[in-house]
Amino acid sequence: MISFLSGGTGTPKLLRGVRALLPDREISVVVNTAEDLWISGNHLSPDLDTVMYLFAGLADTATWWGITGDTFATHDALTGWGGEEPLKIGDRDRAVHILRGGMLRKGMRLTDAEALISRRMGVEAALLPMADTPVATMIDTDLGLLHFQEYWVKHGGTPRVKEVVRTFPEPPKATPEVIRAIGKSDGVVIGPSNPVTSISPILECDGVAEALEKKVVVAVSPFIGDRPVSGPAAELMKARGLEPTSQGTFDLYRDIVDVFVQDIRDPVKVDGAVRLDTLMRDKPVSEALAREILKIIKEKSS
């Protein structure tokens, strides 16, 4: 069993390659839920859904958002009749949000709702929300305090970032399922997702850091030079007082990581890092990277 800590773009690209090497039932994915929000009365969990759609064979791997071939009749009608929906949500994607929202309103844990929906989609991997209580990543900008999805999707990441703020009604605690999955794993991979908005929320959940101390942990940098492969990681790293590079990423993870991987093209030198091709433009590159990471875990855990 291999566990992954995942956001919604970089790590799913790696998971696409891992699936060619391991059966889905031997994969568990702990997923960031700090970008979740209720929208149009339904529950959106963008990172969780992207990972679920990947394992269900439904993911739009051109955009890494939503379901491939989805239609947008509801969104178009809603906005056409004067409604406001800051994110463009597909019709089948929305059906998942409706299902999940109904389950949560009835008092079901997010973990159990995800397990039920995933099972109905034929997913065999264990897809685990990082916590069952709400967490939100808010971006303090020159337009005011924005939910991350508003900042990145609605405003295209253009507002000036002052601070990244995590909000919650109670401090997030890793679920028993998350701790159990990490404990049963041969190794844990921190994928090349945004360190501030995707991975840090998972690491901030009570119990996660302690569970990782007992495991071989491999982390993959999302940076090449001072630019992330995708997304707004650079601005958000600077807002957190971190260098927006592989070195800054390593500094964030150094207490829990055994092996740090950075790209072969990265001009930034991180002492002791393993150099691999991390620019996963297609499935063969993803598979090659996954093969090397699994080899590292096998060598370190033997």
Side-chain angles (χ1 to χ4, degrees), residues 186-252:
D186 298 313
V188 178
V189 180
I190 299 177
S193 295
N194 189 315
V196 174
T197 59
S198 296
I199 303 300
S200 286
I202 302 174
L203 300 177
E204 290 164 11
C205 290
D206 185 49
V208 171
E210 293 81 1
L212 293 176
E213 287 177 0
K214 305 169 186 177
K215 294 295 166 180
V216 174
V217 179
V218 178
V220 183
S221 174
F223 282 92
I224 298 177
D226 60 358
R227 298 179 63 85
V229 174
S230 65
E235 288 303 312
L236 302 180
M237 290 278 280
K238 287 187 282 188
R240 275 268 165 132
L242 297 164
E243 182 181 296
T245 63
S246 290
Q247 182 63 58
T249 305
F250 175 74
D251 291 341
L252 181 62

Side-chain angles (χ1 to χ4, degrees), residues 18-288:
V18 171
R19 296 184 70 208
L21 306 172
L22 290 178
D24 286 355
R25 62 181 178 277
E26 294 184 15
I27 302 169
S28 63
V29 190
V30 180
V31 186
N32 167 50
T33 57
E35 295 175 24
D36 291 14
L37 72 162
W38 289 85
I39 184 167
S40 300
N42 307 309
H43 188 266
L44 169 65
S45 188
D47 291 356
L48 198 56
D49 287 342
T50 295
V51 175
M52 179 171 64
Y53 297 154
L54 174 69
F55 280 93
L58 299 173
D60 186 339
T61 55
T63 61
W64 294 98
W65 174 273
I67 294 175
T68 186
D70 213 346
T71 55
F72 296 88
T74 303
H75 174 84
D76 292 343
L78 177 65
T79 55
W81 292 331
E84 183 177 351
E85 194 167 64
L87 285 73
K88 190 171 183 178
I89 298 169
D91 297 317
R92 287 189 293 164
D93 192 16
R94 189 185 304 274
V96 173
H97 306 168
I98 293 170
L99 279 171
R100 183 190 298 116
M103 293 174 184
L104 296 178
R105 287 191 184 94
K106 291 176 181 177
M108 187 179 287
R109 293 192 310 150
L110 179 59
T111 297
D112 293 333
E114 172 59 27
L116 182 56
I117 297 171
S118 292
R119 190 162 59 247
R120 289 173 177 174
M121 289 191 174
V123 174
E124 294 184 344
L127 308 186
L128 306 171
M130 67 184 197
D132 283 324
T133 55
V135 184
T137 294
M138 308 295 291
I139 312 299
D140 189 9
T141 73
D142 49 9
L143 297 181
L145 197 63
L146 304 173
H147 188 281
F148 173 77
Q149 292 297 333
E150 290 183 285
Y151 161 76
W152 181 238
V153 180
K154 181 178 180 179
H155 295 287
T158 55
R160 185 174 66 85
V161 178
K162 301 177 183 177
E163 187 179 5
V164 180
V165 182
R166 213 88 67 208
T167 63
F168 37 75
E170 59 184 272
K173 182 178 180 180
T175 67
E177 289 85 353
V178 166
I179 300 303
R180 189 158 52 244
I182 293 174
K184 291 166 62 177
S185 295
D186 298 313
V188 178
V189 180
I190 299 177
S193 295
N194 189 315
V196 174
T197 59
S198 296
I199 303 300
S200 286
I202 302 174
L203 300 177
E204 290 164 11
C205 290
D206 185 49
V208 171
E210 293 81 1
L212 293 176
E213 287 177 0
K214 305 169 186 177
K215 294 295 166 180
V216 174
V217 179
V218 178
V220 183
S221 174
F223 282 92
I224 298 177
D226 60 358
R227 298 179 63 85
V229 174
S230 65
E235 288 303 312
L236 302 180
M237 290 278 280
K238 287 187 282 188
R240 275 268 165 132
L242 297 164
E243 182 181 296
T245 63
S246 290
Q247 182 63 58
T249 305
F250 175 74
D251 291 341
L252 181 62
Y253 299 158
R254 69 166 63 239
D255 291 339
I256 57 170
V257 167
D258 297 291
V259 179
F260 188 74
V261 176
Q262 63 181 134
D263 192 77
I264 53 176
R265 290 160 284 254
D266 194 344
V268 175
K269 178 176 172 55
V270 178
D271 289 341
V274 174
R275 294 282 188 152
L276 297 171
D277 186 353
T278 67
L279 198 56
M280 295 175 282
R281 292 193 179 98
D282 55 35
K283 187 176 178 181
V285 178
S286 297
E287 186 176 332

